[in-house]
Amino acid sequence: MEKKFNQPLGGNDMTRAGGPATMMRLPTQKNAAGLDACFVGIPLDIGTSNRVGARHAPRSIRAESCMIRPYNMGTGAAPFDNIQVADIGDIPINTYSLLKSIDIIEQKFDEILQHNCIPLTLGGDHTVTLPILRAIAKKHGPVGLVHVDAHTDVNDEMFGEKIAHGTTFRRAIEEGLINGNRVVQIGVRGSGYAAEDFDWGRKQGFRVVQAEECWHKSLTPLMEEVRQQVGNGPVYISFDIDGLDPAYAPGTGTVEIGGLTTIQALEIVRGCQGLDIVGGDLVEVSPPYDTSGNTSLIGANFLFEMLCVLPGVLSEKHP
Ligand code: MN
Ligand code: MN
């Protein structure tokens, strides 16, 4: 039967090892016109503080997305039956200037949002979320945030710089891009500079869920509370791959042990179903440190899972 919306290229039409490496082997287009959702890459890593390499992630995530089939057998979601999706390529950042790059990103996301298209971003380091949220807040006002990460990313400055991958969510609060009472950070852990390191966000109203609170548990009950906290307003999902344990996702820049399992992260993203999601990103995959390709592969799958919980995507099973 002829399908109404763009479909990923099937594994029986072209071997999964072949064809152009677009996200999920979807068609490409130059801009977001006519799309309900798009995949867009940001090949930027000049905001990182330790290992670099995230600039290579959009291409690598696309390559590793070649196995993902159109139906979500876990949730019953069938995104390509319900909404129009394409891969709109990469943002042409300036690889010598972080400040110029974030202006370019904001302007390109303004364009995407003008088309009423929901962006799902293939990062890039976590700096990219700031200009995305700047564009999103212009359209939707301050949004709620589901933030998966080993780090809170609320430093005031890094090496004296206000813009870096570890300052994103402090700037987002200061600029009124996110509503502190509608923010949850899940998976934070590791060593710090002071015992109060995770408390700045709590003072802004964030719910900060440390990794230790997640150990050995299903996160489905947590997500019930998160949905209550976040409520009916617009929500953004920001998924730093280092929220996962390095046993699953070693290919990243700032590794912390004792992280989330892939199953717990599935419970988080699937637990966002029913929220008014206005955008999402998957950041901090660093292919040079990802010798098996698994980190990119996991990243690709979580971007698919985000697609599966967007408004307008019907699902047989609800959380
Ligand atoms: Mn992180
Ligand atoms: Mn981060």
Side-chain angles (χ1 to χ4, degrees):
M1 197 181 74
E2 198 62 25
K3 297 268 191 180
K4 190 174 160 201
F5 298 111
N6 287 343
Q7 298 295 310
L9 180 58
N12 295 314
D13 298 319
M14 165 63 76
T15 172
R16 292 201 176 273
T22 65
M23 185 62 189
M24 284 192 69
R25 315 204 314 165
L26 282 162
T28 56
Q29 61 180 63
K30 283 204 186 93
N31 58 42
L35 300 180
D36 299 303
C38 68
F39 291 108
V40 55
I42 309 182
L44 175 141
D45 63 10
I46 54 177
T48 52
S49 51
N50 189 27
R51 300 169 176 173
V52 295
R55 69 180 62 185
H56 301 290
R59 184 174 291 170
S60 176
I61 290 170
R62 287 185 175 102
E64 296 295 345
S65 75
C66 69
M67 268 291 291
I68 306 176
R69 306 169 191 86
Y71 287 89
N72 188 322
M73 303 307 286
T75 66
F80 308 103
D81 286 0
N82 305 136
I83 63 173
Q84 183 72 319
V85 190
D87 184 333
I88 65 164
D90 291 332
I91 306 289
I93 57 107
N94 178 334
T95 202
Y96 301 109
S97 168
L98 187 56
L99 295 182
K100 282 182 182 165
S101 291
I102 64 169
D103 286 344
I104 294 165
I105 295 165
E106 181 181 346
Q107 185 209 326
K108 291 290 177 186
F109 275 74
D110 285 340
E111 283 172 35
I112 292 169
L113 295 168
Q114 271 165 21
H115 292 291
N116 289 321
C117 172
I118 299 176
L120 294 175
T121 301
L122 292 60
D125 73 52
H126 223 155
T127 317
V128 305
T129 306
L130 179 66
I132 296 172
L133 287 173
R134 283 175 175 167
I136 293 238
K138 269 181 263 174
K139 185 178 171 87
H140 297 286
V143 295
L145 175 72
V146 175
H147 174 201
V148 178
D149 205 321
H151 312 97
T152 53
D153 294 349
V154 295
N155 291 294
D156 185 25
E157 45 186 45
M158 299 176 84
F159 255 82
E161 298 296 323
K162 291 283 189 181
I163 306 290
H165 78 154
T167 65
T168 296
F169 299 104
R170 186 176 295 225
R171 297 290 93 77
I173 283 285
E174 289 171 350
E175 296 179 20
L177 313 179
I178 55 176
N179 174 349
N181 294 318
R182 299 181 59 235
V183 173
V184 58
Q185 299 186 306
I186 308 173
V188 302
R189 62 186 188 272
S191 48
Y193 289 105
E196 305 79 36
D197 275 9
F198 296 154
D199 293 343
W200 185 87
R202 290 182 173 125
K203 288 183 192 135
Q204 319 306 314
F206 296 10
R207 177 162 185 187
V208 181
V209 182
Q210 294 186 219
E212 287 81 356
E213 296 173 57
C214 303
W215 286 358
H216 315 297
K217 279 197 245 192
S218 165
L219 299 188
T220 300
L222 169 70
M223 291 312 292
E224 227 166 272
E225 294 171 15
V226 167
R227 287 194 299 278
Q228 295 228 327
Q229 179 196 347
V230 168
N232 296 324
V235 188
Y236 187 82
I237 303 175
S238 192
F239 192 135
D240 182 328
I241 199 77
D242 71 28
L244 293 174
D245 191 85
Y248 302 96
T252 189
T254 41
V255 170
E256 311 284 356
I257 67 166
L260 304 176
T261 67
T262 50
I263 295 171
Q264 288 174 316
L266 283 170
E267 290 173 329
I268 293 170
V269 177
R270 290 177 182 182
C272 291
Q273 197 192 348
L275 297 179
D276 181 16
I277 298 160
V278 294
D281 60 53
L282 188 296
V283 297
E284 297 283 353
V285 170
S286 176
Y289 292 92
D290 187 23
T291 52
S292 67
N294 275 357
T295 312
S296 289
L297 187 147
I298 290 168
N301 275 276
F302 278 107
L303 284 157
F304 172 61
E305 292 286 338
M306 286 184 210
L307 180 70
C308 289
V309 293
L310 293 187
V313 175
L314 304 177
S315 176
E316 287 159 19
K317 300 168 196 169
H318 294 274

